[in-house]
Amino acid sequence: MHLPDIFDEVEEDLRAERARQMWQRFGTPVAVLLVLVVAGVGGWQGWQWHQNRERAAASVAFMADHRAAEAEGADLPAIAGRFEGLAASSPAGYRTIALLRAAALKAETGEMPAALALYDRVANDGEADPIYREFATLMWVLRSMDTAEPSVLAARIAPLTRPGQPWSASARELSALVALKSGQRDEARRALEALAADVTAPRSIRDRAGRIASGIAG
């Protein structure tokens, strides 16, 4: 069993789940807003019109930067900087997702301290949606596996493992990996077996939990 490979799988799942939840929260309002702006619907006045225009502009800029980051040969450090700049001038929701994207790109290009600082910034932003604050905490823990003390990792991930939390399954998986990494093999195996048997958890997480648990010697 190779833990780095497992961490890569966990990160891919988290990215996919974040994209799904982000679209659920922002996709429809943004699509409606853009239609309204293009159609020139009247009646938008004062600050409300200004705020909606800012959201539409942030949406367009975010998607442009996202497409640039996905292009072959993209200058990822520069695009990470563009996302940080976008965060500085965007409304709260787009500020959050721009910072998360910048953090991911910095991590991808080896700027790990800067990435962790951005994840921390989102995790501690009282104005950010809790679902993104918790995602930032998950990513901070995942990215800190090789550098932070297990006790620190465990303390940060524990609140997210409670039933009913939006990232509970992912948090339980990371909590078990922290236990495994700190040498608590029996505890890790029990936690992973319980997660593998939890029909409320996403199938990819359940399958991976069972695979890891079966590879832990009793």
PDB file of all heavy atoms in Angstrom, residues 50-64:
ATOM      1  N   HIS A  50     -25.516  47.089  -9.124  1.00  0.00           N
ATOM      2  CA  HIS A  50     -24.052  47.108  -9.066  1.00  0.00           C
ATOM      3  C   HIS A  50     -23.505  45.792  -8.523  1.00  0.00           C
ATOM      4  O   HIS A  50     -22.537  45.234  -9.080  1.00  0.00           O
ATOM      5  CB  HIS A  50     -23.588  48.267  -8.179  1.00  0.00           C
ATOM      6  CG  HIS A  50     -22.100  48.325  -7.985  1.00  0.00           C
ATOM      7  ND1 HIS A  50     -21.237  48.656  -9.002  1.00  0.00           N
ATOM      8  CD2 HIS A  50     -21.328  48.066  -6.895  1.00  0.00           C
ATOM      9  CE1 HIS A  50     -19.997  48.608  -8.555  1.00  0.00           C
ATOM     10  NE2 HIS A  50     -20.021  48.257  -7.284  1.00  0.00           N
ATOM     11  N   GLN A  51     -24.117  45.270  -7.470  1.00  0.00           N
ATOM     12  CA  GLN A  51     -23.654  44.014  -6.892  1.00  0.00           C
ATOM     13  C   GLN A  51     -23.813  42.864  -7.888  1.00  0.00           C
ATOM     14  O   GLN A  51     -22.916  42.026  -8.015  1.00  0.00           O
ATOM     15  CB  GLN A  51     -24.447  43.700  -5.611  1.00  0.00           C
ATOM     16  CG  GLN A  51     -24.114  44.604  -4.436  1.00  0.00           C
ATOM     17  CD  GLN A  51     -22.681  44.395  -3.950  1.00  0.00           C
ATOM     18  OE1 GLN A  51     -22.236  43.266  -3.778  1.00  0.00           O
ATOM     19  NE2 GLN A  51     -21.976  45.480  -3.735  1.00  0.00           N
ATOM     20  N   ASN A  52     -24.923  42.809  -8.573  1.00  0.00           N
ATOM     21  CA  ASN A  52     -25.122  41.744  -9.541  1.00  0.00           C
ATOM     22  C   ASN A  52     -24.164  41.858 -10.717  1.00  0.00           C
ATOM     23  O   ASN A  52     -23.699  40.844 -11.248  1.00  0.00           O
ATOM     24  CB  ASN A  52     -26.573  41.739 -10.028  1.00  0.00           C
ATOM     25  CG  ASN A  52     -27.530  41.225  -8.965  1.00  0.00           C
ATOM     26  OD1 ASN A  52     -27.169  40.415  -8.136  1.00  0.00           O
ATOM     27  ND2 ASN A  52     -28.759  41.727  -8.985  1.00  0.00           N
ATOM     28  N   ARG A  53     -23.855  43.052 -11.121  1.00  0.00           N
ATOM     29  CA  ARG A  53     -22.885  43.236 -12.198  1.00  0.00           C
ATOM     30  C   ARG A  53     -21.506  42.755 -11.765  1.00  0.00           C
ATOM     31  O   ARG A  53     -20.782  42.127 -12.539  1.00  0.00           O
ATOM     32  CB  ARG A  53     -22.815  44.712 -12.618  1.00  0.00           C
ATOM     33  CG  ARG A  53     -21.920  44.937 -13.843  1.00  0.00           C
ATOM     34  CD  ARG A  53     -21.934  46.371 -14.293  1.00  0.00           C
ATOM     35  NE  ARG A  53     -21.349  47.251 -13.292  1.00  0.00           N
ATOM     36  CZ  ARG A  53     -21.106  48.547 -13.506  1.00  0.00           C
ATOM     37  NH1 ARG A  53     -21.445  49.100 -14.667  1.00  0.00           N
ATOM     38  NH2 ARG A  53     -20.564  49.291 -12.565  1.00  0.00           N
ATOM     39  N   GLU A  54     -21.168  43.027 -10.506  1.00  0.00           N
ATOM     40  CA  GLU A  54     -19.884  42.551  -9.985  1.00  0.00           C
ATOM     41  C   GLU A  54     -19.826  41.027  -9.966  1.00  0.00           C
ATOM     42  O   GLU A  54     -18.804  40.425 -10.298  1.00  0.00           O
ATOM     43  CB  GLU A  54     -19.649  43.092  -8.569  1.00  0.00           C
ATOM     44  CG  GLU A  54     -19.203  44.526  -8.517  1.00  0.00           C
ATOM     45  CD  GLU A  54     -18.712  44.904  -7.131  1.00  0.00           C
ATOM     46  OE1 GLU A  54     -19.105  44.225  -6.149  1.00  0.00           O
ATOM     47  OE2 GLU A  54     -17.929  45.860  -7.030  1.00  0.00           O
ATOM     48  N   ARG A  55     -20.928  40.384  -9.583  1.00  0.00           N
ATOM     49  CA  ARG A  55     -20.959  38.921  -9.564  1.00  0.00           C
ATOM     50  C   ARG A  55     -20.810  38.356 -10.984  1.00  0.00           C
ATOM     51  O   ARG A  55     -20.115  37.359 -11.191  1.00  0.00           O
ATOM     52  CB  ARG A  55     -22.261  38.427  -8.928  1.00  0.00           C
ATOM     53  CG  ARG A  55     -22.386  38.732  -7.441  1.00  0.00           C
ATOM     54  CD  ARG A  55     -23.585  38.023  -6.833  1.00  0.00           C
ATOM     55  NE  ARG A  55     -23.774  38.421  -5.442  1.00  0.00           N
ATOM     56  CZ  ARG A  55     -24.601  39.379  -5.046  1.00  0.00           C
ATOM     57  NH1 ARG A  55     -25.351  40.017  -5.938  1.00  0.00           N
ATOM     58  NH2 ARG A  55     -24.707  39.688  -3.772  1.00  0.00           N
ATOM     59  N   ALA A  56     -21.487  38.981 -11.934  1.00  0.00           N
ATOM     60  CA  ALA A  56     -21.389  38.509 -13.308  1.00  0.00           C
ATOM     61  C   ALA A  56     -19.964  38.668 -13.820  1.00  0.00           C
ATOM     62  O   ALA A  56     -19.417  37.759 -14.474  1.00  0.00           O
ATOM     63  CB  ALA A  56     -22.359  39.272 -14.196  1.00  0.00           C
ATOM     64  N   ALA A  57     -19.334  39.796 -13.534  1.00  0.00           N
ATOM     65  CA  ALA A  57     -17.961  40.030 -13.975  1.00  0.00           C
ATOM     66  C   ALA A  57     -17.012  39.028 -13.327  1.00  0.00           C
ATOM     67  O   ALA A  57     -16.090  38.509 -13.974  1.00  0.00           O
ATOM     68  CB  ALA A  57     -17.540  41.458 -13.632  1.00  0.00           C
ATOM     69  N   ALA A  58     -17.229  38.753 -12.036  1.00  0.00           N
ATOM     70  CA  ALA A  58     -16.389  37.780 -11.342  1.00  0.00           C
ATOM     71  C   ALA A  58     -16.550  36.394 -11.939  1.00  0.00           C
ATOM     72  O   ALA A  58     -15.575  35.645 -12.087  1.00  0.00           O
ATOM     73  CB  ALA A  58     -16.729  37.765  -9.849  1.00  0.00           C
ATOM     74  N   SER A  59     -17.795  36.051 -12.312  1.00  0.00           N
ATOM     75  CA  SER A  59     -18.041  34.747 -12.919  1.00  0.00           C
ATOM     76  C   SER A  59     -17.281  34.608 -14.237  1.00  0.00           C
ATOM     77  O   SER A  59     -16.628  33.588 -14.494  1.00  0.00           O
ATOM     78  CB  SER A  59     -19.541  34.555 -13.160  1.00  0.00           C
ATOM     79  OG  SER A  59     -19.786  33.389 -13.920  1.00  0.00           O
ATOM     80  N   VAL A  60     -17.365  35.628 -15.078  1.00  0.00           N
ATOM     81  CA  VAL A  60     -16.682  35.590 -16.373  1.00  0.00           C
ATOM     82  C   VAL A  60     -15.169  35.507 -16.172  1.00  0.00           C
ATOM     83  O   VAL A  60     -14.484  34.710 -16.831  1.00  0.00           O
ATOM     84  CB  VAL A  60     -17.061  36.830 -17.204  1.00  0.00           C
ATOM     85  CG1 VAL A  60     -16.188  36.917 -18.457  1.00  0.00           C
ATOM     86  CG2 VAL A  60     -18.533  36.785 -17.588  1.00  0.00           C
ATOM     87  N   ALA A  61     -14.638  36.305 -15.260  1.00  0.00           N
ATOM     88  CA  ALA A  61     -13.194  36.302 -15.018  1.00  0.00           C
ATOM     89  C   ALA A  61     -12.737  34.970 -14.445  1.00  0.00           C
ATOM     90  O   ALA A  61     -11.675  34.439 -14.830  1.00  0.00           O
ATOM     91  CB  ALA A  61     -12.827  37.440 -14.064  1.00  0.00           C
ATOM     92  N   PHE A  62     -13.526  34.402 -13.532  1.00  0.00           N
ATOM     93  CA  PHE A  62     -13.153  33.117 -12.942  1.00  0.00           C
ATOM     94  C   PHE A  62     -13.082  32.034 -14.009  1.00  0.00           C
ATOM     95  O   PHE A  62     -12.127  31.253 -14.061  1.00  0.00           O
ATOM     96  CB  PHE A  62     -14.160  32.727 -11.857  1.00  0.00           C
ATOM     97  CG  PHE A  62     -13.834  31.415 -11.196  1.00  0.00           C
ATOM     98  CD1 PHE A  62     -13.020  31.366 -10.078  1.00  0.00           C
ATOM     99  CD2 PHE A  62     -14.341  30.223 -11.704  1.00  0.00           C
ATOM    100  CE1 PHE A  62     -12.707  30.156  -9.472  1.00  0.00           C
ATOM    101  CE2 PHE A  62     -14.034  29.005 -11.101  1.00  0.00           C
ATOM    102  CZ  PHE A  62     -13.213  28.972  -9.991  1.00  0.00           C
ATOM    103  N   MET A  63     -14.098  31.959 -14.870  1.00  0.00           N
ATOM    104  CA  MET A  63     -14.116  30.926 -15.887  1.00  0.00           C
ATOM    105  C   MET A  63     -12.986  31.125 -16.896  1.00  0.00           C
ATOM    106  O   MET A  63     -12.407  30.152 -17.393  1.00  0.00           O
ATOM    107  CB  MET A  63     -15.472  30.893 -16.587  1.00  0.00           C
ATOM    108  CG  MET A  63     -16.604  30.415 -15.701  1.00  0.00           C
ATOM    109  SD  MET A  63     -16.243  28.834 -14.859  1.00  0.00           S
ATOM    110  CE  MET A  63     -15.981  27.734 -16.261  1.00  0.00           C
ATOM    111  N   ALA A  64     -12.652  32.371 -17.207  1.00  0.00           N
ATOM    112  CA  ALA A  64     -11.539  32.631 -18.120  1.00  0.00           C
ATOM    113  C   ALA A  64     -10.227  32.142 -17.523  1.00  0.00           C
ATOM    114  O   ALA A  64      -9.415  31.492 -18.200  1.00  0.00           O
ATOM    115  CB  ALA A  64     -11.462  34.124 -18.434  1.00  0.00           C
TER     116      ALA A  64
END
